[in-house]
Amino acid sequence: MATEATTTKFQNSDFRPVPQPPDFYPEVTMIHDGLRFWQFMVSGSIAGCVEHMAMFPVDTVKTHMQALGSCPIKSVGVRHALRSILNAGGPAGFYRGIGAMGLGAGPAHAVYFSVYEVCKKYLSGGNPNNSAAHAVSGFSRRWQATPFLRLWIWATVLMNAPFTAVHFATYEAAKRGLIEISPESASDERVIVHATAGALAGASAALVTTPLDVVKTQLQCQGVCGCDRYKSSSIRDVIKTIVQKDGYKGLVRGWIPRMLFHAPAAAICWSTYEAGKAFFQELNTSTESGTVA
């Protein structure tokens, strides 16, 4: 009788079974756009490697031009640099050091884009048109990935911050504008949209930050191969010296090759990154619907 009474007591309609919680997935694993944090990292890492591998020969030529130029002593053109590289190592010389570059570019871009996506989610407040949030997120992305040993080089830091801010804000705005122009074909032409927006972003950021890049180069090369040595490392003093010596045009010296380098690099990087995101979005959707085991 006691057993029957106990059973009846616990079968009271006021008592309902507690529903079991679903499988636990920490919220931090899901950022936005239906992707997990590690998927942003993988997409960014692949994008960085593809970009640097594609642009590595161009960067090699640029480095040789800077090294052979010996500052004010002589001027080295593209043809001279190409001949020097081919004579020293043949066609493989254009890719000398690419292994070290890959080891650095992959992890760096994984941090770049994942930090950017996290900051964009929390700073934009769900508003895709918030350019200020995109700019601040781009700065945060660069700040997280800048090695601490370089933080004391203020010219480099001051150049990277506006470069990434302009870059990301311009990319998001250009992508949104291109999609609004032809929304019905945006999905079919998304590679063109991302590449075009990336090229505009890279070119704009390169143009805006050319004066700071000139200052950084002057500070790095001072006293080497006959280059002028500045009495002070103050950025303001260096700018004043450049203007007095070459006029304001001296602050934008090299803006054309700088834009021609960053435009295709950004186009390759962004189109690859967005393709990686699209792949993971489709993978997650198919997994959730049970079509993938």
Side-chain angles (χ1 to χ4, degrees), residues 89-211:
F94 290 103
Y95 290 93
R96 181 175 297 165
I98 194 172
M101 177 278 302
L103 291 176
H109 280 74
V111 175
Y112 287 172
F113 285 103
S114 57
V115 170
Y116 171 70
E117 295 287 357
V118 172
C119 293
K120 184 173 71 171
K121 175 189 176 183
Y122 290 105
L123 294 178
S124 64
N127 179 13
N129 300 327
N130 193 335
S131 298
H134 299 151
V136 175
S137 300
F139 168 76
S140 302
R141 161 251 199 194
R142 174 61 71 178
W143 182 262
Q144 291 291 332
T146 300
F148 289 106
L149 293 178
R150 293 172 54 199
L151 289 178
W152 64 277
I153 308 178
W154 286 104
T156 300
V157 174
L158 291 177
M159 183 189 71
N160 285 338
F163 181 92
T164 52
V166 173
H167 188 138
F168 279 78
T170 303
Y171 173 76
E172 295 289 352
K175 181 178 70 172
R176 185 172 63 250
L178 291 171
I179 292 176
E180 290 176 354
I181 291 175
S182 181
E184 65 279 354
S185 60
S187 59
D188 296 332
E189 301 175 355
R190 58 187 177 187
V191 175
I192 298 176
V193 169
H194 297 151
T196 304
L200 291 173
S204 301
L207 177 62
V208 170
T209 58
T210 293

